[in-house]
mmCIF file of all heavy atoms in Angstrom:
data_model
loop_
_atom_site.group_PDB
_atom_site.id
_atom_site.type_symbol
_atom_site.label_atom_id
_atom_site.label_comp_id
_atom_site.label_asym_id
_atom_site.label_seq_id
_atom_site.Cartn_x
_atom_site.Cartn_y
_atom_site.Cartn_z
ATOM 1 N N GLY A 1258 -27.735 -97.320 57.899
ATOM 2 C CA GLY A 1258 -27.714 -98.167 56.757
ATOM 3 C C GLY A 1258 -29.124 -98.579 56.397
ATOM 4 O O GLY A 1258 -30.022 -98.539 57.313
ATOM 5 N N SER A 1259 -29.415 -98.903 55.174
ATOM 6 C CA SER A 1259 -30.727 -99.306 54.771
ATOM 7 C C SER A 1259 -30.658 -100.409 53.750
ATOM 8 O O SER A 1259 -29.802 -100.504 52.872
ATOM 9 C CB SER A 1259 -31.480 -98.047 54.123
ATOM 10 O OG SER A 1259 -32.731 -98.346 53.752
ATOM 11 N N VAL A 1260 -31.750 -101.262 53.763
ATOM 12 C CA VAL A 1260 -31.884 -102.413 52.878
ATOM 13 C C VAL A 1260 -33.333 -102.433 52.407
ATOM 14 O O VAL A 1260 -34.211 -102.221 53.121
ATOM 15 C CB VAL A 1260 -31.511 -103.715 53.619
ATOM 16 C CG1 VAL A 1260 -31.811 -104.950 52.625
ATOM 17 C CG2 VAL A 1260 -30.102 -103.769 54.095
ATOM 18 N N ILE A 1261 -33.503 -102.632 51.062
ATOM 19 C CA ILE A 1261 -34.835 -102.790 50.489
ATOM 20 C C ILE A 1261 -34.958 -104.271 49.973
ATOM 21 O O ILE A 1261 -34.072 -104.797 49.258
ATOM 22 C CB ILE A 1261 -35.027 -101.787 49.291
ATOM 23 C CG1 ILE A 1261 -34.965 -100.401 49.922
ATOM 24 C CG2 ILE A 1261 -36.349 -102.065 48.634
ATOM 25 C CD1 ILE A 1261 -35.086 -99.316 48.847
ATOM 26 N N VAL A 1262 -36.118 -104.854 50.361
ATOM 27 C CA VAL A 1262 -36.367 -106.253 50.059
ATOM 28 C C VAL A 1262 -37.661 -106.403 49.284
ATOM 29 O O VAL A 1262 -38.725 -105.839 49.679
ATOM 30 C CB VAL A 1262 -36.397 -107.085 51.337
ATOM 31 C CG1 VAL A 1262 -36.873 -108.488 51.092
ATOM 32 C CG2 VAL A 1262 -35.024 -107.067 52.041
ATOM 33 N N GLN A 1263 -37.626 -107.210 48.254
ATOM 34 C CA GLN A 1263 -38.784 -107.560 47.453
ATOM 35 C C GLN A 1263 -38.927 -109.048 47.440
ATOM 36 O O GLN A 1263 -38.054 -109.741 46.912
ATOM 37 C CB GLN A 1263 -38.705 -106.928 46.082
ATOM 38 C CG GLN A 1263 -39.911 -107.123 45.177
ATOM 39 C CD GLN A 1263 -41.106 -106.151 45.556
ATOM 40 O OE1 GLN A 1263 -42.032 -106.593 46.253
ATOM 41 N NE2 GLN A 1263 -40.974 -104.947 45.099
ATOM 42 N N ASN A 1264 -40.044 -109.633 48.008
ATOM 43 C CA ASN A 1264 -40.176 -111.099 48.056
ATOM 44 C C ASN A 1264 -38.996 -111.736 48.674
ATOM 45 O O ASN A 1264 -38.460 -112.794 48.189
ATOM 46 C CB ASN A 1264 -40.443 -111.637 46.651
ATOM 47 C CG ASN A 1264 -41.688 -111.062 46.084
ATOM 48 O OD1 ASN A 1264 -42.675 -110.881 46.748
ATOM 49 N ND2 ASN A 1264 -41.753 -110.770 44.749
ATOM 50 N N GLN A 1265 -38.451 -111.216 49.740
ATOM 51 C CA GLN A 1265 -37.283 -111.757 50.489
ATOM 52 C C GLN A 1265 -35.972 -111.751 49.741
ATOM 53 O O GLN A 1265 -35.060 -112.471 50.075
ATOM 54 C CB GLN A 1265 -37.648 -113.122 51.055
ATOM 55 C CG GLN A 1265 -38.663 -113.112 52.127
ATOM 56 C CD GLN A 1265 -38.625 -114.235 53.086
ATOM 57 O OE1 GLN A 1265 -38.172 -115.360 52.755
ATOM 58 N NE2 GLN A 1265 -38.989 -114.072 54.356
ATOM 59 N N ASP A 1266 -35.946 -110.993 48.603
ATOM 60 C CA ASP A 1266 -34.709 -110.771 47.883
ATOM 61 C C ASP A 1266 -34.212 -109.314 48.086
ATOM 62 O O ASP A 1266 -35.049 -108.403 47.886
ATOM 63 C CB ASP A 1266 -34.977 -111.044 46.374
ATOM 64 C CG ASP A 1266 -35.160 -112.488 46.093
ATOM 65 O OD1 ASP A 1266 -34.603 -113.402 46.811
ATOM 66 O OD2 ASP A 1266 -35.904 -112.804 45.080
ATOM 67 N N ILE A 1267 -32.977 -109.127 48.388
ATOM 68 C CA ILE A 1267 -32.450 -107.763 48.521
ATOM 69 C C ILE A 1267 -32.338 -107.138 47.160
ATOM 70 O O ILE A 1267 -31.710 -107.640 46.310
ATOM 71 C CB ILE A 1267 -31.154 -107.754 49.194
ATOM 72 C CG1 ILE A 1267 -31.273 -108.297 50.701
ATOM 73 C CG2 ILE A 1267 -30.469 -106.408 49.212
ATOM 74 C CD1 ILE A 1267 -29.970 -108.373 51.430
ATOM 75 N N VAL A 1268 -33.035 -106.000 47.046
ATOM 76 C CA VAL A 1268 -32.973 -105.310 45.664
ATOM 77 C C VAL A 1268 -32.278 -104.002 45.784
ATOM 78 O O VAL A 1268 -32.140 -103.344 44.712
ATOM 79 C CB VAL A 1268 -34.441 -105.177 45.103
ATOM 80 C CG1 VAL A 1268 -35.088 -106.517 44.932
ATOM 81 C CG2 VAL A 1268 -35.286 -104.320 46.038
ATOM 82 N N GLY A 1269 -31.928 -103.570 46.931
ATOM 83 C CA GLY A 1269 -31.243 -102.257 47.091
ATOM 84 C C GLY A 1269 -30.574 -102.121 48.456
ATOM 85 O O GLY A 1269 -31.258 -102.553 49.432
ATOM 86 N N GLU A 1270 -29.414 -101.498 48.541
ATOM 87 C CA GLU A 1270 -28.829 -101.230 49.794
ATOM 88 C C GLU A 1270 -28.175 -99.896 49.733
ATOM 89 O O GLU A 1270 -27.788 -99.323 48.670
ATOM 90 C CB GLU A 1270 -27.730 -102.280 50.050
ATOM 91 C CG GLU A 1270 -28.251 -103.691 50.353
ATOM 92 C CD GLU A 1270 -27.078 -104.665 50.771
ATOM 93 O OE1 GLU A 1270 -25.926 -104.420 50.251
ATOM 94 O OE2 GLU A 1270 -27.339 -105.615 51.476
ATOM 95 N N GLY A 1271 -27.968 -99.280 50.901
ATOM 96 C CA GLY A 1271 -27.230 -97.953 50.960
ATOM 97 C C GLY A 1271 -26.864 -97.651 52.342
ATOM 98 O O GLY A 1271 -27.354 -98.195 53.319
ATOM 99 N N PHE A 1272 -25.932 -96.702 52.526
ATOM 100 C CA PHE A 1272 -25.512 -96.220 53.872
ATOM 101 C C PHE A 1272 -25.259 -94.695 53.697
ATOM 102 O O PHE A 1272 -25.001 -94.161 52.586
ATOM 103 C CB PHE A 1272 -24.307 -96.910 54.403
ATOM 104 C CG PHE A 1272 -23.081 -96.739 53.617
ATOM 105 C CD1 PHE A 1272 -22.188 -95.641 53.937
ATOM 106 C CD2 PHE A 1272 -22.730 -97.594 52.578
ATOM 107 C CE1 PHE A 1272 -20.976 -95.443 53.251
ATOM 108 C CE2 PHE A 1272 -21.525 -97.344 51.897
ATOM 109 C CZ PHE A 1272 -20.671 -96.328 52.250
ATOM 110 N N HIS A 1273 -25.321 -94.008 54.802
ATOM 111 C CA HIS A 1273 -25.071 -92.524 54.811
ATOM 112 C C HIS A 1273 -23.582 -92.331 54.948
ATOM 113 O O HIS A 1273 -22.982 -92.742 55.952
ATOM 114 C CB HIS A 1273 -25.786 -91.843 55.968
ATOM 115 C CG HIS A 1273 -25.591 -90.363 56.113
ATOM 116 N ND1 HIS A 1273 -25.697 -89.520 55.045
ATOM 117 C CD2 HIS A 1273 -25.121 -89.684 57.203
ATOM 118 C CE1 HIS A 1273 -25.416 -88.333 55.536
ATOM 119 N NE2 HIS A 1273 -25.092 -88.364 56.833
ATOM 120 N N PRO A 1274 -22.890 -91.715 53.933
ATOM 121 C CA PRO A 1274 -21.421 -91.638 53.980
ATOM 122 C C PRO A 1274 -20.895 -90.469 54.844
ATOM 123 O O PRO A 1274 -19.880 -90.657 55.528
ATOM 124 C CB PRO A 1274 -21.050 -91.424 52.557
ATOM 125 C CG PRO A 1274 -22.233 -90.798 51.877
ATOM 126 C CD PRO A 1274 -23.427 -91.322 52.580
ATOM 127 N N GLN A 1275 -21.598 -89.351 54.785
ATOM 128 C CA GLN A 1275 -21.107 -88.200 55.609
ATOM 129 C C GLN A 1275 -22.098 -87.127 55.542
ATOM 130 O O GLN A 1275 -23.032 -87.175 54.726
ATOM 131 C CB GLN A 1275 -19.792 -87.687 55.116
ATOM 132 C CG GLN A 1275 -19.854 -87.117 53.701
ATOM 133 C CD GLN A 1275 -18.503 -86.605 53.242
ATOM 134 O OE1 GLN A 1275 -17.414 -87.154 53.663
ATOM 135 N NE2 GLN A 1275 -18.485 -85.510 52.453
ATOM 136 N N ALA A 1276 -22.106 -86.176 56.488
ATOM 137 C CA ALA A 1276 -23.046 -85.053 56.577
ATOM 138 C C ALA A 1276 -23.071 -84.305 55.264
ATOM 139 O O ALA A 1276 -21.980 -83.982 54.712
ATOM 140 C CB ALA A 1276 -22.694 -84.174 57.758
ATOM 141 N N GLY A 1277 -24.277 -83.922 54.798
ATOM 142 C CA GLY A 1277 -24.402 -83.206 53.524
ATOM 143 C C GLY A 1277 -24.638 -84.152 52.332
ATOM 144 O O GLY A 1277 -25.159 -83.672 51.316
ATOM 145 N N GLN A 1278 -24.372 -85.399 52.467
ATOM 146 C CA GLN A 1278 -24.634 -86.387 51.447
ATOM 147 C C GLN A 1278 -26.023 -87.061 51.720
ATOM 148 O O GLN A 1278 -26.599 -86.914 52.803
ATOM 149 C CB GLN A 1278 -23.560 -87.491 51.510
ATOM 150 C CG GLN A 1278 -22.125 -87.034 51.161
ATOM 151 C CD GLN A 1278 -22.082 -86.604 49.735
ATOM 152 O OE1 GLN A 1278 -22.486 -87.284 48.792
ATOM 153 N NE2 GLN A 1278 -21.458 -85.389 49.497
ATOM 154 N N PRO A 1279 -26.599 -87.656 50.615
ATOM 155 C CA PRO A 1279 -27.942 -88.275 50.853
ATOM 156 C C PRO A 1279 -27.916 -89.302 51.967
ATOM 157 O O PRO A 1279 -26.852 -89.846 52.187
ATOM 158 C CB PRO A 1279 -28.134 -88.953 49.450
ATOM 159 C CG PRO A 1279 -27.379 -88.102 48.540
ATOM 160 C CD PRO A 1279 -26.063 -87.732 49.282
ATOM 161 N N HIS A 1280 -29.132 -89.557 52.510
ATOM 162 C CA HIS A 1280 -29.167 -90.454 53.610
ATOM 163 C C HIS A 1280 -29.257 -91.920 53.035
ATOM 164 O O HIS A 1280 -29.462 -92.157 51.894
ATOM 165 C CB HIS A 1280 -30.404 -90.165 54.455
ATOM 166 C CG HIS A 1280 -30.225 -88.855 55.226
ATOM 167 N ND1 HIS A 1280 -31.223 -88.379 56.129
ATOM 168 C CD2 HIS A 1280 -29.196 -87.874 55.237
ATOM 169 C CE1 HIS A 1280 -30.779 -87.270 56.637
ATOM 170 N NE2 HIS A 1280 -29.554 -86.997 56.149
ATOM 171 N N ALA A 1281 -29.169 -92.851 53.972
ATOM 172 C CA ALA A 1281 -29.067 -94.276 53.559
ATOM 173 C C ALA A 1281 -30.300 -94.726 52.795
ATOM 174 O O ALA A 1281 -30.115 -95.437 51.756
ATOM 175 C CB ALA A 1281 -28.949 -95.096 54.817
ATOM 176 N N GLU A 1282 -31.482 -94.285 53.173
ATOM 177 C CA GLU A 1282 -32.697 -94.697 52.453
ATOM 178 C C GLU A 1282 -32.689 -94.254 51.002
ATOM 179 O O GLU A 1282 -33.174 -94.988 50.137
ATOM 180 C CB GLU A 1282 -33.941 -94.141 53.186
ATOM 181 C CG GLU A 1282 -34.072 -94.488 54.662
ATOM 182 C CD GLU A 1282 -33.490 -93.446 55.537
ATOM 183 O OE1 GLU A 1282 -32.337 -93.007 55.288
ATOM 184 O OE2 GLU A 1282 -34.114 -93.144 56.560
ATOM 185 N N VAL A 1283 -32.156 -93.056 50.706
ATOM 186 C CA VAL A 1283 -32.089 -92.524 49.368
ATOM 187 C C VAL A 1283 -31.213 -93.434 48.454
ATOM 188 O O VAL A 1283 -31.512 -93.769 47.363
ATOM 189 C CB VAL A 1283 -31.698 -91.091 49.379
ATOM 190 C CG1 VAL A 1283 -31.511 -90.567 47.978
ATOM 191 C CG2 VAL A 1283 -32.770 -90.280 50.146
ATOM 192 N N PHE A 1284 -30.011 -93.768 49.079
ATOM 193 C CA PHE A 1284 -29.102 -94.595 48.252
ATOM 194 C C PHE A 1284 -29.712 -95.949 48.000
ATOM 195 O O PHE A 1284 -29.558 -96.527 46.901
ATOM 196 C CB PHE A 1284 -27.796 -94.746 49.008
ATOM 197 C CG PHE A 1284 -26.888 -93.567 48.908
ATOM 198 C CD1 PHE A 1284 -26.582 -92.723 50.010
ATOM 199 C CD2 PHE A 1284 -26.190 -93.329 47.771
ATOM 200 C CE1 PHE A 1284 -25.696 -91.784 49.940
ATOM 201 C CE2 PHE A 1284 -25.290 -92.240 47.624
ATOM 202 C CZ PHE A 1284 -25.147 -91.436 48.718
ATOM 203 N N ALA A 1285 -30.407 -96.462 49.016
ATOM 204 C CA ALA A 1285 -31.094 -97.834 48.779
ATOM 205 C C ALA A 1285 -32.168 -97.732 47.803
ATOM 206 O O ALA A 1285 -32.322 -98.626 46.967
ATOM 207 C CB ALA A 1285 -31.652 -98.261 50.178
ATOM 208 N N LEU A 1286 -32.976 -96.644 47.765
ATOM 209 C CA LEU A 1286 -34.031 -96.447 46.812
ATOM 210 C C LEU A 1286 -33.470 -96.291 45.438
ATOM 211 O O LEU A 1286 -34.013 -96.835 44.436
ATOM 212 C CB LEU A 1286 -34.895 -95.283 47.177
ATOM 213 C CG LEU A 1286 -35.749 -95.416 48.376
ATOM 214 C CD1 LEU A 1286 -36.373 -94.058 48.864
ATOM 215 C CD2 LEU A 1286 -36.889 -96.432 48.142
ATOM 216 N N TRP A 1287 -32.322 -95.558 45.314
ATOM 217 C CA TRP A 1287 -31.713 -95.400 43.944
ATOM 218 C C TRP A 1287 -31.309 -96.755 43.452
ATOM 219 O O TRP A 1287 -31.448 -97.094 42.294
ATOM 220 C CB TRP A 1287 -30.503 -94.508 44.090
ATOM 221 C CG TRP A 1287 -30.795 -93.053 44.239
ATOM 222 C CD1 TRP A 1287 -32.052 -92.448 44.092
ATOM 223 C CD2 TRP A 1287 -29.962 -92.014 44.623
ATOM 224 N NE1 TRP A 1287 -32.019 -91.111 44.303
ATOM 225 C CE2 TRP A 1287 -30.659 -90.794 44.683
ATOM 226 C CE3 TRP A 1287 -28.595 -91.916 44.976
ATOM 227 C CZ2 TRP A 1287 -30.080 -89.542 45.007
ATOM 228 C CZ3 TRP A 1287 -28.035 -90.706 45.317
ATOM 229 C CH2 TRP A 1287 -28.741 -89.524 45.325
ATOM 230 N N ALA A 1288 -30.769 -97.590 44.355
ATOM 231 C CA ALA A 1288 -30.281 -98.919 43.894
ATOM 232 C C ALA A 1288 -31.399 -99.800 43.545
ATOM 233 O O ALA A 1288 -31.303 -100.600 42.578
ATOM 234 C CB ALA A 1288 -29.468 -99.539 45.057
ATOM 235 N N ALA A 1289 -32.515 -99.689 44.272
ATOM 236 C CA ALA A 1289 -33.630 -100.538 44.007
ATOM 237 C C ALA A 1289 -34.446 -100.125 42.693
ATOM 238 O O ALA A 1289 -34.950 -100.899 42.009
ATOM 239 C CB ALA A 1289 -34.688 -100.581 45.174
#
């Protein structure tokens, strides 16, 4: 799982759902 924080505010989150899918960091970056 991954969380992205800007000034102590969560601006993006994500998790890896299954093999072959993007990794958690990528989902979090997309959200941020």
